[in-house]
Amino acid sequence: QDGPQRKKRKSEVGEVDKQLDILAIGTAVGSILLYSTVKGELQSKLDGGHDSRVNCVRWHQDNCCLYSCSDDRHIVEWNTQTCKVKCKWKGDNSSVTCLCISPDGKMLLSAGRTIKLWDLETKEVYRHFTGHATSVSSLMFTTVKPMNESKPFDGITGLYFLSGAIHDRLLSVWYIRSDRKEKNAVMSFTVTDEPTFVDLTVSEVKEEPVKLAVVCRDGQLHLFEHILNGYCKKPLTSNCTIQIATPGNDGDSTPKPVPILAAAFCTDKQSLLLVYGNTLQPIIEKVSLNTSESHICLVRDIQKVLSLKTDAALTKVKTPVVNSDTKVLVPGIPGHSTAVKTPASGKEKKKNKRKPGETEESIEERLGALDIDVSKVKTPGGLPQTDSFAVLLVQGLESNDAEILNKVLNTRKENIVKNTVARMPIHAVIPLLHELTKRLQGNPYSASVMVRWLKSVFTLHASYLSTLPDLIPQLGMLYQLMESRVKTLQKLSRLHGRLFILVTQVAASQTVQDVPEVNQTAKLVYEDDSSSEEGSDDEMIADKDSDENWDEDEEKEEQSDEQDMTVEKEINGDSDLEPENESEEE
């Protein structure tokens, strides 16, 4: 299951003998191989159905029919006699990872993260289920008949099925209802690690419990036994846990765990077939277990059984023979070499303890003994050179190290950017473009820096990019980004123009207000004598007139005030009642 190919053997026994020995193998490139186990050769190849890796293949009860699902989000129904696609439909918005056919052969379960139940005649979704947070790795029906036998059975309603997902320690059980209300799991089984292999005994009678064997990634086997009778809130723990270990007698007293690779129930539903040991040469053993014990540890000496031993080959390491003339380069300082002394046979190793009379050598003397010219060794300082930038960039793209990429890509010098892009290897161009596209979606400050790198990549590597057949899908995101940025450019330039006019007008009005007013009074006035005398007579006459007018105006104002006071008092009713106050107010 972990390799590039995923193999599934059909479990049902067919009527035609020729079809019994066919093994369907889904490949990583999207084709399906039909292999004859009797003849030991490839019988046929199914092409044209999938564009990506095949995740699961399932035989239908009708031997000529095969179903497959893939990372290309589609489910394909194959006719294995004509080797052609009978039907193909979209199964999910993401990759479809697992399939399971109903007991009557009329329905199909498919799962990516969510689980769907399809009607195989109409190819429409019959039911939706919530599913798991990660990709589903196993799907299987646990019952053949519904537990409630009072209602007529339509072949699917009332059945239970089981699902498990990668990185998920819970196996969920789902119930197919007649209505569409309940989409969540009715119960779940908890295990110690991610399930890698699941097998179960199908419950055919109402009182018969379902037996479940789950092999986890940590090498343990968990056995469950439960009667499916509706909703259960808490996750169910295993009735029995099985582990295998070595006896630990020969030399090593501590027993070592032996991983269990797979487990399957036999036809009697009591004994188990265990597969354990090495994946290159696994050991298959039939075991009948007493499940009353909660934990069973089987002791097996796999070293005696295995004929293939890899330890002996790994320890044969040849040591090179070093002559006295050989010079070995010391790392770090180019051009420096030192002679390696050959170890003298039969002599004891010289101890680093100095005698009481000796003095310790200084660092300078030790360097002199190594014959290193300290003055010639330059300490690297300043910015790294262009070739080191190219090496750093490739390392950062391969390891996806954000710190290295930030150090390189935040460079603003045009010549360093051009030289770095020119010296980087061809295979790193597409990853660099993906990284630049990702950074262009960030803040505008980083986008302005990334555009320089994009310009250099497109000018220097245009010939290489034009040879790529899948260039448009590779750079689709970049095209959309550039179009979305350019779309708003015209509107922004118009807005910029209007704002510029407004700002200049406001600034002009402020400059006008800030100008100081000119003093209009004359600094020097020259007057003739004749005009001054006439003017003085006129002024005297005007003053007299104005004084008389001033007295008349005062009298008129006093009379009007008295009239106003009398009117107010008449209104308020105070004129006759309080004569004393009148004089005070006047």
Side-chain angles (χ1 to χ4, degrees):
Q1 289 182 349
D2 296 330
Q5 298 178 348
R6 188 113 177 221
K7 304 178 182 180
K8 296 289 178 186
R9 189 192 292 274
K10 62 172 184 176
S11 57
E12 292 80 18
V13 178
E15 295 176 1
V16 186
D17 294 337
K18 292 181 181 179
Q19 293 287 335
L20 284 175
D21 65 328
I22 300 296
L23 181 70
I25 306 169
T27 63
V29 293
S31 59
I32 297 172
L33 310 177
L34 298 181
Y35 187 82
S36 173
T37 55
V38 174
K39 297 177 184 178
E41 62 183 18
L42 190 67
Q43 182 172 304
S44 54
K45 185 179 180 181
L46 307 179
D47 273 328
H50 295 294
D51 303 328
S52 186
R53 167 197 173 99
V54 177
N55 291 323
C56 184
V57 288
R58 284 280 186 267
W59 286 101
H60 194 265
Q61 283 86 330
D62 175 14
N63 287 314
C64 298
C65 191
L66 182 74
Y67 290 90
S68 64
C69 63
S70 168
D71 283 348
D72 63 1
R73 303 178 292 181
H74 285 81
I75 303 170
V76 177
E77 181 181 356
W78 300 90
N79 186 342
T80 55
Q81 288 186 338
T82 59
C83 298
K84 291 184 179 179
V85 177
K86 284 176 69 177
C87 185
K88 179 178 179 179
W89 70 96
K90 187 177 179 181
D92 209 330
N93 291 328
S94 57
S95 61
V96 186
T97 55
C98 203
L99 296 175
C100 183
I101 297 168
S102 64
D104 63 348
K106 294 180 180 178
M107 296 281 180
L108 175 73
L109 280 171
S110 75
R113 287 189 176 90
T114 58
I115 303 171
K116 296 178 182 178
L117 182 65
W118 299 87
D119 187 348
L120 287 178
E121 288 185 6
T122 60
K123 304 297 187 294
E124 292 179 354
V125 178
Y126 182 71
R127 290 285 183 275
H128 278 279
F129 300 94
T130 311
H132 296 261
T134 53
S135 300
V136 175
S137 58
S138 55
L139 274 176
M140 51 188 68
F141 278 90
T142 58
T143 51
V144 178
K145 296 178 181 178
M147 297 299 167
N148 188 3
E149 296 176 355
S150 60
K151 296 180 181 178
F153 181 47
D154 60 354
I156 194 69
T157 305
L159 297 186
Y160 291 88
F161 68 91
L162 180 86
S163 68
I166 59 171
H167 310 306
D168 194 347
R169 296 191 300 109
L170 288 177
L171 290 157
S172 301
V173 178
W174 312 81
Y175 180 62
I176 301 170
R177 297 166 59 96
S178 56
D179 54 3
R180 295 174 179 265
K181 290 181 181 177
E182 189 65 43
K183 294 183 179 180
N184 297 327
V186 292
M187 66 181 72
S188 56
F189 301 102
T190 177
V191 290
T192 54
D193 202 350
E194 173 191 338
T196 57
F197 195 90
V198 182
D199 191 43
L200 52 84
T201 62
V202 178
S203 174
E204 297 177 356
V205 191
K206 183 178 180 181
E207 292 79 13
E208 184 183 2
V210 172
K211 291 184 178 180
L212 184 65
V214 183
V215 179
C216 297
R217 192 170 290 282
D218 58 4
Q220 297 186 47
L221 168 64
H222 299 275
L223 295 178
F224 298 87
E225 193 170 339
H226 187 73
I227 298 172
L228 302 177
N229 53 1
Y231 184 74
C232 184
K233 190 174 182 180
K234 292 183 179 179
L236 301 171
T237 55
S238 61
N239 298 356
C240 181
T241 302
I242 300 169
Q243 286 178 293
I244 300 177
T246 57
N249 295 331
D250 301 332
D252 191 5
S253 60
T254 57
K256 294 180 180 178
V258 179
I260 300 174
L261 305 175
F265 285 100
C266 298
T267 51
D268 60 355
K269 297 186 179 181
Q270 296 297 327
S271 52
L272 274 168
L273 278 175
L274 294 182
V275 183
Y276 59 90
N278 191 358
T279 50
L280 295 174
Q281 195 172 358
I283 303 162
I284 302 175
E285 182 182 348
K286 187 176 181 180
V287 182
S288 57
L289 300 165
N290 181 16
T291 55
S292 59
E293 298 179 23
S294 61
H295 194 278
I296 300 173
C297 184
L298 303 174
V299 179
R300 298 287 185 271
D301 192 0
I302 60 168
Q303 291 296 332
K304 292 181 179 178
V305 182
L306 284 177
S307 59
L308 181 67
K309 290 187 178 181
T310 56
D311 295 337
L314 290 174
T315 53
K316 293 179 180 177
V317 180
K318 294 182 178 179
T319 54
V321 179
V322 182
N323 298 324
S324 58
D325 300 333
T326 309
K327 290 186 177 181
V328 180
L329 292 177
V330 176
I333 303 161
H336 173 63
S337 61
T338 179
V340 177
K341 295 180 181 178
T342 54
S345 60
K347 293 183 180 179
E348 294 182 357
K349 291 183 180 178
K350 185 180 177 182
K351 295 182 179 178
N352 286 331
K353 294 179 180 178
R354 63 177 186 271
K355 296 175 183 178
E358 292 180 354
T359 57
E360 189 179 0
E361 291 182 351
S362 65
I363 301 288
E364 190 176 354
E365 290 172 354
R366 290 181 189 176
L367 288 173
L370 285 172
D371 194 20
I372 298 176
D373 190 356
V374 186
S375 62
K376 290 182 181 178
V377 180
K378 295 180 180 179
T379 56
L383 285 171
Q385 299 302 315
T386 311
D387 50 355
S388 63
F389 258 118
V391 173
L392 277 175
L393 181 59
V394 174
Q395 287 177 354
L397 290 171
E398 288 178 354
S399 62
N400 203 10
D401 192 336
E403 189 176 348
I404 296 176
L405 289 172
N406 288 337
K407 182 179 179 182
V408 177
L409 294 177
N410 288 336
T411 309
R412 287 181 168 276
K413 293 185 178 179
E414 292 284 347
N415 56 344
I416 291 181
V417 172
K418 285 183 180 178
N419 292 335
T420 305
V421 173
R423 295 189 185 193
M424 66 183 292
I426 290 293
H427 64 81
V429 172
I430 292 295
L432 177 61
L433 284 175
H434 288 322
E435 181 66 27
L436 292 175
T437 306
K438 188 167 70 176
R439 287 167 179 262
L440 275 170
Q441 297 171 6
N443 58 347
Y445 172 76
S446 65
S448 63
V449 181
M450 296 309 125
V451 166
R452 303 181 184 185
W453 286 90
L454 271 179
K455 183 180 177 182
S456 300
V457 170
F458 287 140
T459 50
L460 295 170
H461 296 288
S463 56
Y464 165 67
L465 291 172
S466 61
T467 59
L468 296 177
D470 56 343
L471 182 64
I472 293 174
Q474 290 257 23
L475 302 181
M477 182 72 73
L478 186 60
Y479 289 152
Q480 291 175 6
L481 265 174
M482 293 167 74
E483 284 179 6
S484 63
R485 293 280 174 101
V486 172
K487 272 182 184 176
T488 56
L489 181 63
Q490 190 175 3
K491 296 178 181 177
L492 284 173
S493 58
R494 287 178 184 172
L495 180 63
H496 179 264
R498 291 173 183 174
L499 289 174
F500 181 74
I501 292 170
L502 282 172
V503 169
T504 49
Q505 287 178 354
V506 170
S509 62
Q510 284 180 352
T511 52
V512 169
Q513 290 174 2
D514 293 343
V515 172
E517 294 182 0
V518 180
N519 191 6
Q520 300 293 336
T521 57
K523 291 184 179 180
L524 182 65
V525 178
Y526 176 77
E527 294 181 357
D528 289 335
D529 294 337
S530 59
S531 62
S532 63
E533 288 174 359
E534 290 172 3
S536 62
D537 295 338
D538 295 338
E539 285 173 1
M540 290 293 288
I541 296 165
D543 289 341
K544 287 178 182 178
D545 293 341
S546 61
D547 291 341
E548 291 171 1
N549 293 337
W550 178 253
D551 295 336
E552 290 175 3
D553 291 341
E554 281 185 347
E555 290 174 1
K556 286 179 183 178
E557 284 178 1
E558 287 176 358
Q559 290 174 3
S560 64
D561 289 343
E562 289 174 1
Q563 289 175 0
D564 292 341
M565 292 293 292
T566 54
V567 171
E568 284 179 2
K569 285 173 183 176
E570 286 174 1
I571 290 169
N572 296 331
D574 300 343
S575 58
D576 300 329
L577 295 175
E578 297 177 356
E580 295 175 0
N581 293 340
E582 287 180 10
S583 60
E584 288 178 1
E585 286 171 0
E586 288 175 3

